[in-house]
Amino acid sequence: MGISPVTAIILAVVAIIIFGPKKLPELGKAMGTTLREFKKATNGLMEDDEPSKKSSESTKSEDK
């Protein structure tokens, strides 16, 4: 379920019409920064959760 080339072209044309060619690089940079921060926060949450999963798994194996 990817974006077809025609859809990508239409989206690019609409973005240029709405934001203008001068604002698009700024908008792309802002979106990239936001996505990077979101991934970093998500990975941090997953890493924080991993020790609790391991400890709960070890207690389950000790119960047997």
Side-chain angles (χ1 to χ4, degrees), residues 31-46:
M31 288 179 63
T33 303
T34 303
L35 184 60
R36 188 178 317 116
E37 290 295 322
F38 179 75
K39 284 184 178 181
K40 195 183 300 183
T42 303
N43 287 339
L45 288 173
M46 293 177 81

